[in-house]
Amino acid sequence: MLTTVVGNYPKIANRRESDAPKAASATFNPNATSITTATATAGDNTTLPTNLRRALALFDEGKLTADQLKEVQDNITIEVIKEQEAAGLDIITDGHIRWADDQTYIAGKIKGFTLSGLLRYFDSNTYYRQPVADGKLSAAGPILLADYQFAAAHANKPVKVSLDGPYTLARLSKNEHYKSDEDFALALADILNAEAKALLKAGAPIIQFDEPAILRHKGDFALFAKLMARLTADLDQSKLALYTYFGNLDGLDHYFELPFGSFGIDLTDDYGRDSWAWLNFFPKGKTLGLGIVDARNTRLETVAELVAKINELPENIDRSAVQVSPNCGLEFLPRERAQEKLTRMVEAVKSVSR
Amino acid sequence: MVQGLLTTSVGSFPKPAYLLEARNRFAKGAISAEELNQLEKQATREWITFQEEIGVDILVDGEMYRGDMATYFAERLDGFSISGLVRSYGNRYYRKPVAVGDIRWREPISVEMFKYAQSLTDKPVKGMLTGPYTMMDWSFNEHYANREALAMALAEAIHQEAVELENAGAKYIQIDEPAVSTRPEELEIAIKAMAVVTNGLRAHTLTHICYGDFEKIYPRMLDIPVDQIDLEMANSHYDLLDTFRKAKFTKAIGLGVVDVHSHVMESVDEVADGIRRTLEVIPASQIYVDPDCGLKTRTVEEAKDKMRVVVEATKRVKAELN
């Protein structure tokens, strides 16, 4: 039984800037004292902020160059990689540190999209800029390849790549170009298929597509299945994961027949109570992403509580093919609470594996 | 003389520059709470004066003392702590309330500022509260068994604050529930919680709900136990009027007629037209005219201009009806 995360990771630590470790680009020394002050000026490489919020503000004011901002993002990516490894996770992500949100980072790099006004992200109190397709969609090249390679080079654990699948990305965007929403989503599926191909070729161990939107529009399942077929065409299925959250699987009878090697499921009390029953139908030979840590609430699960949940797994589930995780990305939480939750999750999995 | 078509606003106005600066200085410990309070009163006085000058009927204090509408109340109730930073969008972060113990009303929260604002004018000033469903939805819950239990505990506390406002003379008490439209399946919780808040109040009660998936909560939404529901109409181009034609809007409506998220200034013509279209569906006696939402995200000048348009357009339509 392994442990992993779903995708994004809180970008800002709640420590004072002066307490922050100095994240030099290649090595991480948590005992180093900070050199950072808020006085960075363009072209001055010696005083980069260690806080991304500050760095983005300085960048907006023109006091930080794009290269300097990238360096800060690199440093914080390394920082969250080390944090995930320190928590004991088996499979990690780059934390999406460079992403403004899960939609616009991808859509912003696809030609044919423009970014529009703020919209609420599902039922959360967070917002994203809505991508609007006002032309034919095309990607000039791989979108996440450089990010993956950077993260993989700085990680000791396997780094999976996670991103919105075509259905969710289409649902959260607006189509002003394609004749039908189906054509729009299919165009996205083709682009993301090419993306996955490039990432797998570069050695990415897992490409995870997040499709929370299907749980809120279950009547679209036939279209969804078609999109998933296009998305995964000619790819090594065993390396593809499909994650859903913010809802349950009721009514999606053919969900586990979709062409993925791994299915991540939200099994938290708020959303996934009714999904437990579906585990009885989980197919042999597939990996189960067990989303039992609530990434939407700060309440800390106890190790015993998590152990009890893992022990609720039905007999048919091969425990060696289970990856325990939070139900969704961790960015809804303050950084320190996210870390504590991960530490407890790892502890729980260790104790059932003993 | 036509009854109804009273003008008001949803709650917040932008804070003047001197107050923003003072809040920063207060956060850094450079000025005292008393000094900050004096400046909040000064800004409140300026907004009351402005509303009186342009002829608004039901006034607000402008919420010069609030940061976030949930955190402001949470910080003043027993049972809450405040989280580390979480992201709202882009590079915007905020601190979220965390329910860590039994939620209890401790002492009046909004009453002093209400009394102060009301003392400056003979027109009614609204008492302004954040509703229990929204407080719950915008908080982390580490204490109560589920979302409903937290919302109901909050309802008791907010009811107590509403009673205090009423005893202090509030004729209108607004209990904002902007989160209600985000989880249609939880509308029942919001209704149940609001019943506790408004229980036994004699004041005119109203709630503001932000734009959302109204098809899923209308007409059931009309069961929220308040006298008036305040809605954003301008930013959805009055689409809801079609919904109200199919199922009658039975309460008083707070009719949002200017888009608070846009720098673009509506003309008196287009706002008057929106009011006239609404009159085809809802009688004048049931209509209160206001901006879509709080104006705090606009500049002071934009907010004032938008309020002037609201008042001018309403005057014009009233004159036609007379």
mmCIF file of all heavy atoms in Angstrom, chain B residues 270-309:
data_model
loop_
_atom_site.group_PDB
_atom_site.id
_atom_site.type_symbol
_atom_site.label_atom_id
_atom_site.label_comp_id
_atom_site.label_asym_id
_atom_site.label_seq_id
_atom_site.Cartn_x
_atom_site.Cartn_y
_atom_site.Cartn_z
ATOM 1 N N GLU B 270 -30.967 52.877 -18.745
ATOM 2 C CA GLU B 270 -31.023 51.403 -18.721
ATOM 3 C C GLU B 270 -31.483 50.884 -17.361
ATOM 4 O O GLU B 270 -32.191 49.880 -17.286
ATOM 5 C CB GLU B 270 -29.703 50.757 -19.169
ATOM 6 C CG GLU B 270 -28.524 50.973 -18.245
ATOM 7 C CD GLU B 270 -27.227 50.355 -18.784
ATOM 8 O OE1 GLU B 270 -27.178 49.121 -18.870
ATOM 9 O OE2 GLU B 270 -26.281 51.105 -19.107
ATOM 10 N N VAL B 271 -31.096 51.569 -16.287
ATOM 11 C CA VAL B 271 -31.537 51.121 -14.963
ATOM 12 C C VAL B 271 -33.051 51.327 -14.819
ATOM 13 O O VAL B 271 -33.766 50.445 -14.336
ATOM 14 C CB VAL B 271 -30.762 51.859 -13.849
ATOM 15 C CG1 VAL B 271 -31.375 51.570 -12.483
ATOM 16 C CG2 VAL B 271 -29.290 51.419 -13.869
ATOM 17 N N ALA B 272 -33.544 52.479 -15.275
ATOM 18 C CA ALA B 272 -34.987 52.733 -15.220
ATOM 19 C C ALA B 272 -35.738 51.669 -16.023
ATOM 20 O O ALA B 272 -36.791 51.174 -15.602
ATOM 21 C CB ALA B 272 -35.298 54.128 -15.770
ATOM 22 N N ASP B 273 -35.155 51.284 -17.136
ATOM 23 C CA ASP B 273 -35.766 50.260 -17.965
ATOM 24 C C ASP B 273 -35.839 48.921 -17.221
ATOM 25 O O ASP B 273 -36.848 48.220 -17.279
ATOM 26 C CB ASP B 273 -34.964 50.109 -19.269
ATOM 27 C CG ASP B 273 -35.638 49.167 -20.224
ATOM 28 O OD1 ASP B 273 -36.828 49.408 -20.524
ATOM 29 O OD2 ASP B 273 -35.004 48.175 -20.639
ATOM 30 N N GLY B 274 -34.768 48.585 -16.504
ATOM 31 C CA GLY B 274 -34.757 47.347 -15.710
ATOM 32 C C GLY B 274 -35.838 47.356 -14.644
ATOM 33 O O GLY B 274 -36.510 46.343 -14.403
ATOM 34 N N ILE B 275 -36.025 48.501 -14.001
ATOM 35 C CA ILE B 275 -37.070 48.614 -12.970
ATOM 36 C C ILE B 275 -38.452 48.455 -13.616
ATOM 37 O O ILE B 275 -39.313 47.736 -13.113
ATOM 38 C CB ILE B 275 -36.969 49.961 -12.221
ATOM 39 C CG1 ILE B 275 -35.607 50.074 -11.521
ATOM 40 C CG2 ILE B 275 -38.110 50.096 -11.204
ATOM 41 C CD1 ILE B 275 -35.306 51.472 -10.961
ATOM 42 N N ARG B 276 -38.638 49.113 -14.762
ATOM 43 C CA ARG B 276 -39.944 49.004 -15.455
ATOM 44 C C ARG B 276 -40.237 47.564 -15.832
ATOM 45 O O ARG B 276 -41.354 47.076 -15.670
ATOM 46 C CB ARG B 276 -39.940 49.856 -16.732
ATOM 47 C CG ARG B 276 -40.014 51.341 -16.468
ATOM 48 C CD ARG B 276 -40.161 52.111 -17.796
ATOM 49 N NE ARG B 276 -39.646 53.456 -17.643
ATOM 50 C CZ ARG B 276 -38.497 53.884 -18.158
ATOM 51 N NH1 ARG B 276 -37.734 53.073 -18.896
ATOM 52 N NH2 ARG B 276 -38.099 55.120 -17.955
ATOM 53 N N ARG B 277 -39.232 46.857 -16.335
ATOM 54 C CA ARG B 277 -39.436 45.444 -16.717
ATOM 55 C C ARG B 277 -39.806 44.611 -15.490
ATOM 56 O O ARG B 277 -40.614 43.701 -15.571
ATOM 57 C CB ARG B 277 -38.175 44.883 -17.379
ATOM 58 C CG ARG B 277 -38.013 45.352 -18.811
ATOM 59 C CD ARG B 277 -36.588 45.127 -19.311
ATOM 60 N NE ARG B 277 -36.224 43.714 -19.314
ATOM 61 C CZ ARG B 277 -34.961 43.273 -19.368
ATOM 62 N NH1 ARG B 277 -33.958 44.138 -19.387
ATOM 63 N NH2 ARG B 277 -34.702 41.983 -19.387
ATOM 64 N N THR B 278 -39.187 44.930 -14.358
ATOM 65 C CA THR B 278 -39.494 44.183 -13.134
ATOM 66 C C THR B 278 -40.931 44.448 -12.686
ATOM 67 O O THR B 278 -41.623 43.543 -12.200
ATOM 68 C CB THR B 278 -38.504 44.561 -12.019
ATOM 69 O OG1 THR B 278 -37.176 44.373 -12.517
ATOM 70 C CG2 THR B 278 -38.705 43.710 -10.774
ATOM 71 N N LEU B 279 -41.394 45.689 -12.893
ATOM 72 C CA LEU B 279 -42.766 46.054 -12.497
ATOM 73 C C LEU B 279 -43.824 45.239 -13.247
ATOM 74 O O LEU B 279 -44.950 45.102 -12.777
ATOM 75 C CB LEU B 279 -42.995 47.550 -12.727
ATOM 76 C CG LEU B 279 -42.362 48.472 -11.676
ATOM 77 C CD1 LEU B 279 -42.384 49.911 -12.157
ATOM 78 C CD2 LEU B 279 -43.084 48.337 -10.332
ATOM 79 N N GLU B 280 -43.446 44.683 -14.398
ATOM 80 C CA GLU B 280 -44.387 43.818 -15.128
ATOM 81 C C GLU B 280 -44.638 42.523 -14.371
ATOM 82 O O GLU B 280 -45.614 41.829 -14.596
ATOM 83 C CB GLU B 280 -43.824 43.469 -16.523
ATOM 84 C CG GLU B 280 -43.699 44.659 -17.452
ATOM 85 C CD GLU B 280 -42.824 44.329 -18.666
ATOM 86 O OE1 GLU B 280 -42.560 43.131 -18.919
ATOM 87 O OE2 GLU B 280 -42.408 45.284 -19.348
ATOM 88 N N VAL B 281 -43.686 42.175 -13.473
ATOM 89 C CA VAL B 281 -43.729 40.869 -12.808
ATOM 90 C C VAL B 281 -43.978 40.994 -11.302
ATOM 91 O O VAL B 281 -44.598 40.123 -10.692
ATOM 92 C CB VAL B 281 -42.400 40.110 -13.058
ATOM 93 C CG1 VAL B 281 -42.479 38.683 -12.533
ATOM 94 C CG2 VAL B 281 -42.039 40.111 -14.533
ATOM 95 N N ILE B 282 -43.463 42.061 -10.716
ATOM 96 C CA ILE B 282 -43.568 42.240 -9.259
ATOM 97 C C ILE B 282 -44.101 43.645 -8.976
ATOM 98 O O ILE B 282 -43.610 44.616 -9.552
ATOM 99 C CB ILE B 282 -42.178 42.058 -8.591
ATOM 100 C CG1 ILE B 282 -41.603 40.654 -8.899
ATOM 101 C CG2 ILE B 282 -42.266 42.263 -7.075
ATOM 102 C CD1 ILE B 282 -40.177 40.443 -8.432
ATOM 103 N N PRO B 283 -45.119 43.786 -8.092
ATOM 104 C CA PRO B 283 -45.678 45.119 -7.827
ATOM 105 C C PRO B 283 -44.684 46.042 -7.116
ATOM 106 O O PRO B 283 -43.815 45.579 -6.367
ATOM 107 C CB PRO B 283 -46.892 44.841 -6.938
ATOM 108 C CG PRO B 283 -46.724 43.459 -6.436
ATOM 109 C CD PRO B 283 -45.834 42.722 -7.375
ATOM 110 N N ALA B 284 -44.847 47.345 -7.353
ATOM 111 C CA ALA B 284 -43.923 48.342 -6.806
ATOM 112 C C ALA B 284 -43.792 48.243 -5.296
ATOM 113 O O ALA B 284 -42.711 48.418 -4.742
ATOM 114 C CB ALA B 284 -44.401 49.749 -7.199
ATOM 115 N N SER B 285 -44.903 47.935 -4.617
ATOM 116 C CA SER B 285 -44.881 47.906 -3.155
ATOM 117 C C SER B 285 -43.930 46.832 -2.636
ATOM 118 O O SER B 285 -43.517 46.863 -1.485
ATOM 119 C CB SER B 285 -46.290 47.645 -2.620
ATOM 120 O OG SER B 285 -46.751 46.387 -3.106
ATOM 121 N N GLN B 286 -43.589 45.860 -3.491
ATOM 122 C CA GLN B 286 -42.713 44.772 -3.066
ATOM 123 C C GLN B 286 -41.264 44.990 -3.488
ATOM 124 O O GLN B 286 -40.421 44.112 -3.288
ATOM 125 C CB GLN B 286 -43.178 43.458 -3.719
ATOM 126 C CG GLN B 286 -44.174 42.658 -2.910
ATOM 127 C CD GLN B 286 -44.713 41.498 -3.728
ATOM 128 O OE1 GLN B 286 -45.858 41.535 -4.175
ATOM 129 N NE2 GLN B 286 -43.899 40.476 -3.946
ATOM 130 N N ILE B 287 -40.977 46.117 -4.144
ATOM 131 C CA ILE B 287 -39.627 46.282 -4.712
ATOM 132 C C ILE B 287 -38.790 47.307 -3.942
ATOM 133 O O ILE B 287 -39.237 48.425 -3.687
ATOM 134 C CB ILE B 287 -39.719 46.718 -6.202
ATOM 135 C CG1 ILE B 287 -40.471 45.654 -7.011
ATOM 136 C CG2 ILE B 287 -38.331 46.946 -6.783
ATOM 137 C CD1 ILE B 287 -40.714 46.044 -8.467
ATOM 138 N N TYR B 288 -37.598 46.882 -3.583
ATOM 139 C CA TYR B 288 -36.561 47.780 -3.048
ATOM 140 C C TYR B 288 -35.450 47.824 -4.092
ATOM 141 O O TYR B 288 -35.055 46.783 -4.598
ATOM 142 C CB TYR B 288 -36.011 47.239 -1.723
ATOM 143 C CG TYR B 288 -37.036 47.221 -0.610
ATOM 144 C CD1 TYR B 288 -38.011 46.223 -0.553
ATOM 145 C CD2 TYR B 288 -37.031 48.198 0.371
ATOM 146 C CE1 TYR B 288 -38.953 46.194 0.465
ATOM 147 C CE2 TYR B 288 -37.970 48.182 1.398
ATOM 148 C CZ TYR B 288 -38.935 47.185 1.438
ATOM 149 O OH TYR B 288 -39.862 47.165 2.444
ATOM 150 N N VAL B 289 -34.962 49.007 -4.415
ATOM 151 C CA VAL B 289 -33.984 49.122 -5.497
ATOM 152 C C VAL B 289 -32.588 49.365 -4.914
ATOM 153 O O VAL B 289 -32.415 50.242 -4.057
ATOM 154 C CB VAL B 289 -34.359 50.266 -6.467
ATOM 155 C CG1 VAL B 289 -33.442 50.235 -7.697
ATOM 156 C CG2 VAL B 289 -35.824 50.144 -6.897
ATOM 157 N N ASP B 290 -31.612 48.602 -5.396
ATOM 158 C CA ASP B 290 -30.246 48.739 -4.869
ATOM 159 C C ASP B 290 -29.219 48.230 -5.885
ATOM 160 O O ASP B 290 -29.603 47.739 -6.940
ATOM 161 C CB ASP B 290 -30.133 48.032 -3.501
ATOM 162 C CG ASP B 290 -30.350 46.515 -3.572
ATOM 163 O OD1 ASP B 290 -30.530 45.973 -4.683
ATOM 164 O OD2 ASP B 290 -30.332 45.879 -2.509
ATOM 165 N N PRO B 291 -27.938 48.343 -5.591
ATOM 166 C CA PRO B 291 -26.924 47.736 -6.472
ATOM 167 C C PRO B 291 -26.964 46.211 -6.328
ATOM 168 O O PRO B 291 -27.556 45.683 -5.380
ATOM 169 C CB PRO B 291 -25.603 48.296 -5.941
ATOM 170 C CG PRO B 291 -25.969 49.454 -5.073
ATOM 171 C CD PRO B 291 -27.319 49.138 -4.517
ATOM 172 N N ASP B 292 -26.312 45.493 -7.240
ATOM 173 C CA ASP B 292 -26.305 44.032 -7.215
ATOM 174 C C ASP B 292 -25.772 43.454 -5.908
ATOM 175 O O ASP B 292 -26.226 42.421 -5.445
ATOM 176 C CB ASP B 292 -25.404 43.496 -8.348
ATOM 177 C CG ASP B 292 -26.178 43.271 -9.637
ATOM 178 O OD1 ASP B 292 -27.404 43.476 -9.646
ATOM 179 O OD2 ASP B 292 -25.538 42.866 -10.632
ATOM 180 N N CYS B 293 -24.752 44.100 -5.383
ATOM 181 C CA CYS B 293 -24.034 43.517 -4.252
ATOM 182 C C CYS B 293 -23.329 44.670 -3.540
ATOM 183 O O CYS B 293 -23.528 45.825 -3.902
ATOM 184 C CB CYS B 293 -23.031 42.490 -4.806
ATOM 185 S SG CYS B 293 -22.375 41.339 -3.583
ATOM 186 N N GLY B 294 -22.527 44.367 -2.538
ATOM 187 C CA GLY B 294 -21.771 45.412 -1.864
ATOM 188 C C GLY B 294 -20.846 46.115 -2.847
ATOM 189 O O GLY B 294 -20.324 45.486 -3.764
ATOM 190 N N LEU B 295 -20.642 47.409 -2.637
ATOM 191 C CA LEU B 295 -19.848 48.200 -3.595
ATOM 192 C C LEU B 295 -18.386 48.330 -3.186
ATOM 193 O O LEU B 295 -17.647 49.126 -3.765
ATOM 194 C CB LEU B 295 -20.473 49.587 -3.757
ATOM 195 C CG LEU B 295 -21.733 49.639 -4.642
ATOM 196 C CD1 LEU B 295 -22.520 50.917 -4.384
ATOM 197 C CD2 LEU B 295 -21.363 49.534 -6.119
ATOM 198 N N LYS B 296 -17.948 47.545 -2.207
ATOM 199 C CA LYS B 296 -16.605 47.786 -1.660
ATOM 200 C C LYS B 296 -15.478 47.557 -2.652
ATOM 201 O O LYS B 296 -14.378 48.045 -2.443
ATOM 202 C CB LYS B 296 -16.381 46.940 -0.411
ATOM 203 C CG LYS B 296 -16.227 45.452 -0.660
ATOM 204 C CD LYS B 296 -15.843 44.740 0.639
ATOM 205 C CE LYS B 296 -15.756 43.243 0.413
ATOM 206 N NZ LYS B 296 -15.532 42.510 1.644
ATOM 207 N N THR B 297 -15.739 46.813 -3.735
ATOM 208 C CA THR B 297 -14.654 46.568 -4.682
ATOM 209 C C THR B 297 -14.495 47.697 -5.709
ATOM 210 O O THR B 297 -13.574 47.694 -6.508
ATOM 211 C CB THR B 297 -14.880 45.252 -5.464
ATOM 212 O OG1 THR B 297 -16.154 45.330 -6.100
ATOM 213 C CG2 THR B 297 -14.860 44.053 -4.533
ATOM 214 N N ARG B 298 -15.399 48.643 -5.697
ATOM 215 C CA ARG B 298 -15.281 49.786 -6.608
ATOM 216 C C ARG B 298 -14.484 50.907 -5.921
ATOM 217 O O ARG B 298 -14.273 50.883 -4.719
ATOM 218 C CB ARG B 298 -16.676 50.309 -6.999
ATOM 219 C CG ARG B 298 -17.536 49.281 -7.712
ATOM 220 C CD ARG B 298 -17.300 49.250 -9.223
ATOM 221 N NE ARG B 298 -15.951 48.946 -9.633
ATOM 222 C CZ ARG B 298 -15.448 47.729 -9.766
ATOM 223 N NH1 ARG B 298 -16.177 46.674 -9.496
ATOM 224 N NH2 ARG B 298 -14.219 47.540 -10.163
ATOM 225 N N THR B 299 -14.074 51.903 -6.710
ATOM 226 C CA THR B 299 -13.453 53.071 -6.087
ATOM 227 C C THR B 299 -14.555 53.894 -5.422
ATOM 228 O O THR B 299 -15.745 53.698 -5.706
ATOM 229 C CB THR B 299 -12.755 53.964 -7.128
ATOM 230 O OG1 THR B 299 -13.767 54.508 -7.989
ATOM 231 C CG2 THR B 299 -11.752 53.179 -7.978
ATOM 232 N N VAL B 300 -14.161 54.791 -4.536
ATOM 233 C CA VAL B 300 -15.145 55.637 -3.851
ATOM 234 C C VAL B 300 -16.002 56.381 -4.882
ATOM 235 O O VAL B 300 -17.236 56.412 -4.775
ATOM 236 C CB VAL B 300 -14.437 56.630 -2.895
ATOM 237 C CG1 VAL B 300 -15.429 57.650 -2.366
ATOM 238 C CG2 VAL B 300 -13.787 55.869 -1.741
ATOM 239 N N GLU B 301 -15.361 56.942 -5.900
ATOM 240 C CA GLU B 301 -16.116 57.716 -6.896
ATOM 241 C C GLU B 301 -17.071 56.836 -7.701
ATOM 242 O O GLU B 301 -18.218 57.213 -7.962
ATOM 243 C CB GLU B 301 -15.167 58.492 -7.828
ATOM 244 C CG GLU B 301 -14.725 59.833 -7.258
ATOM 245 C CD GLU B 301 -15.854 60.602 -6.540
ATOM 246 O OE1 GLU B 301 -16.910 60.815 -7.167
ATOM 247 O OE2 GLU B 301 -15.680 60.952 -5.349
ATOM 248 N N GLU B 302 -16.575 55.643 -8.105
ATOM 249 C CA GLU B 302 -17.446 54.717 -8.847
ATOM 250 C C GLU B 302 -18.646 54.313 -7.994
ATOM 251 O O GLU B 302 -19.786 54.262 -8.484
ATOM 252 C CB GLU B 302 -16.673 53.445 -9.246
ATOM 253 C CG GLU B 302 -15.725 53.624 -10.426
ATOM 254 C CD GLU B 302 -14.813 52.414 -10.626
ATOM 255 O OE1 GLU B 302 -14.710 51.554 -9.722
ATOM 256 O OE2 GLU B 302 -14.178 52.343 -11.687
ATOM 257 N N ALA B 303 -18.384 54.027 -6.730
ATOM 258 C CA ALA B 303 -19.479 53.604 -5.838
ATOM 259 C C ALA B 303 -20.516 54.717 -5.721
ATOM 260 O O ALA B 303 -21.726 54.470 -5.782
ATOM 261 C CB ALA B 303 -18.917 53.233 -4.462
ATOM 262 N N LYS B 304 -20.039 55.941 -5.562
ATOM 263 C CA LYS B 304 -20.970 57.068 -5.439
ATOM 264 C C LYS B 304 -21.782 57.249 -6.718
ATOM 265 O O LYS B 304 -22.996 57.464 -6.680
ATOM 266 C CB LYS B 304 -20.197 58.361 -5.116
ATOM 267 C CG LYS B 304 -19.682 58.390 -3.687
ATOM 268 C CD LYS B 304 -19.004 59.716 -3.380
ATOM 269 C CE LYS B 304 -18.719 59.808 -1.880
ATOM 270 N NZ LYS B 304 -18.042 61.073 -1.534
ATOM 271 N N ASP B 305 -21.095 57.165 -7.862
ATOM 272 C CA ASP B 305 -21.792 57.327 -9.136
ATOM 273 C C ASP B 305 -22.850 56.240 -9.318
ATOM 274 O O ASP B 305 -23.959 56.500 -9.795
ATOM 275 C CB ASP B 305 -20.801 57.313 -10.302
ATOM 276 C CG ASP B 305 -20.010 58.621 -10.383
ATOM 277 O OD1 ASP B 305 -20.440 59.597 -9.728
ATOM 278 O OD2 ASP B 305 -18.981 58.657 -11.082
ATOM 279 N N LYS B 306 -22.485 55.010 -8.961
ATOM 280 C CA LYS B 306 -23.453 53.906 -9.110
ATOM 281 C C LYS B 306 -24.680 54.155 -8.210
ATOM 282 O O LYS B 306 -25.816 53.910 -8.616
ATOM 283 C CB LYS B 306 -22.799 52.566 -8.795
ATOM 284 C CG LYS B 306 -21.710 52.184 -9.824
ATOM 285 C CD LYS B 306 -21.763 50.743 -10.275
ATOM 286 C CE LYS B 306 -20.745 50.506 -11.400
ATOM 287 N NZ LYS B 306 -21.132 49.456 -12.336
ATOM 288 N N MET B 307 -24.436 54.629 -6.986
ATOM 289 C CA MET B 307 -25.563 54.920 -6.079
ATOM 290 C C MET B 307 -26.440 56.042 -6.637
ATOM 291 O O MET B 307 -27.668 56.000 -6.528
ATOM 292 C CB MET B 307 -25.061 55.296 -4.681
ATOM 293 C CG MET B 307 -24.584 54.134 -3.822
ATOM 294 S SD MET B 307 -25.767 52.768 -3.696
ATOM 295 C CE MET B 307 -27.137 53.551 -2.851
ATOM 296 N N ARG B 308 -25.792 57.049 -7.236
ATOM 297 C CA ARG B 308 -26.579 58.153 -7.823
ATOM 298 C C ARG B 308 -27.489 57.640 -8.929
ATOM 299 O O ARG B 308 -28.651 58.052 -9.042
ATOM 300 C CB ARG B 308 -25.644 59.236 -8.369
ATOM 301 C CG ARG B 308 -24.968 60.063 -7.292
ATOM 302 C CD ARG B 308 -24.252 61.278 -7.893
ATOM 303 N NE ARG B 308 -23.487 61.959 -6.864
ATOM 304 C CZ ARG B 308 -22.161 61.813 -6.685
ATOM 305 N NH1 ARG B 308 -21.463 61.050 -7.515
ATOM 306 N NH2 ARG B 308 -21.547 62.439 -5.705
ATOM 307 N N VAL B 309 -26.944 56.728 -9.739
ATOM 308 C CA VAL B 309 -27.744 56.165 -10.833
ATOM 309 C C VAL B 309 -28.938 55.388 -10.277
ATOM 310 O O VAL B 309 -30.061 55.495 -10.784
ATOM 311 C CB VAL B 309 -26.870 55.271 -11.748
ATOM 312 C CG1 VAL B 309 -27.732 54.509 -12.749
ATOM 313 C CG2 VAL B 309 -25.823 56.105 -12.482
#
